[in-house]
């Protein structure tokens, strides 16, 4: 599905991706998408400036819907559901003020993107997995209300203020790395394993 110029998708219908389905620019700079309905399934939204005002859901069980190589402004919901996997790659920036990135029961968000503001949320056995994600609360606080796992082989980068009312769990040989002076607030917990580290690089940490 090629996007030419500034495109808005609205209405009560949906866009269903499957297999290697892809949404991308046709001409390059100037091509952008405003989404006002359900985009779901599995496939790729690739190198496309995207404003999400509705729901984008990875809801195909065992399959991945990936947002890669672009800037996403999310004021609504980016979701993994129905056993699907939402991949937000490290080439993607999510301006998430007013928005939610969520993993529902039995589903996974693989988070490699830089997330600015907004909320991370999980339900039931849903999990958000940091794959070298950056939580950027320098301008707008990032709030974690669910389970954010930093598993072996990956890190989590912090800058600014992160309000954690859920659990950030660091395991294996993973680090929490401060890119800039950072504050961790909220009623939640940061749990660490024997080979993990909170690595400041000289930056101040306020707990």
């Amino acid at each position: 599905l090629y996007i030419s110029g500034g495109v808005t998708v609205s209405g009560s219908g949906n866009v269903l991706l499957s297999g290697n389905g892809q949404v991308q620019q046709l001409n390059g700079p100037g091509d952008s998408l405003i989404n006002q309905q359900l985009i779901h399934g599995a496939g790729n939204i690739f190198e496309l400036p995207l404003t999400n005002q509705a729901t984008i859901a990875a809801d195909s069980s065992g399959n991945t819907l990936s947002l890669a190589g672009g800037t996403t402004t999310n004021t609504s919901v980016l979701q993994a559901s129905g056993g699907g996997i939402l991949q937000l790659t490290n080439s993607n920036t999510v301006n998430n003020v007013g928005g939610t990135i969520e993993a529902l029961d039995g589903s996974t968000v693989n988070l490699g993107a830089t997330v600015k503001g907004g909320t991370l949320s999980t339900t039931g056995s849903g999990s958000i997995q940091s794959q070298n994600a950056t939580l950027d609360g320098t301008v707008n606080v990032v709030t974690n209300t669910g389970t954010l796992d930093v598993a072996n082989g990956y890190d989590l980068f912090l800058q600014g203020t992160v309000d954690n009312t859920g659990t950030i769990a660091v395991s294996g040989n993973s680090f929490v790395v401060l890119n800039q002076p950072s504050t961790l607030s909220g009623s939640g917990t940061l749990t660490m394993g024997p080979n993990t580290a909170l690595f400041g690089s000289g930056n101040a940490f306020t707990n």
Side-chain angles (χ1 to χ4, degrees), residues 14 17 19 23 30 36 46 53 87 98 103-104 111 128 133 145-146 160 168 180 187 194 198 203:
N14 66 90
L17 301 176
V23 183
Q36 296 177 344
F46 181 66
Q53 299 173 348
Q87 181 82 45
L104 301 187
L111 188 62
I128 298 177
T145 66
I168 300 174
Q180 299 178 25
S187 59
L198 179 62
N203 290 306

Side-chain angles (χ1 to χ4, degrees), residues 27-109:
N27 300 307
D31 297 340
S32 62
L33 175 64
I34 298 174
N35 176 54
Q36 296 177 344
Q37 63 176 212
L38 175 65
I39 298 177
H40 65 129
N44 297 281
I45 300 174
F46 181 66
E47 292 187 349
L48 178 67
L50 171 66
T51 298
N52 179 51
Q53 299 173 348
T55 299
I56 296 176
D59 61 1
S60 176
S61 181
N63 296 311
T64 300
L65 176 61
S66 176
L67 274 65
T71 298
T72 299
T73 298
N74 177 48
T75 58
S76 190
V77 177
L78 302 176
Q79 179 188 96
S81 59
I85 301 163
L86 178 64
Q87 181 82 45
L88 301 174
T89 71
N90 58 13
S91 60
N92 197 266
T93 296
V94 181
N95 296 313
N96 197 44
V97 177
T100 299
I101 299 169
E102 63 182 11
L104 301 187
D105 192 43
S107 308
T108 303
V109 174

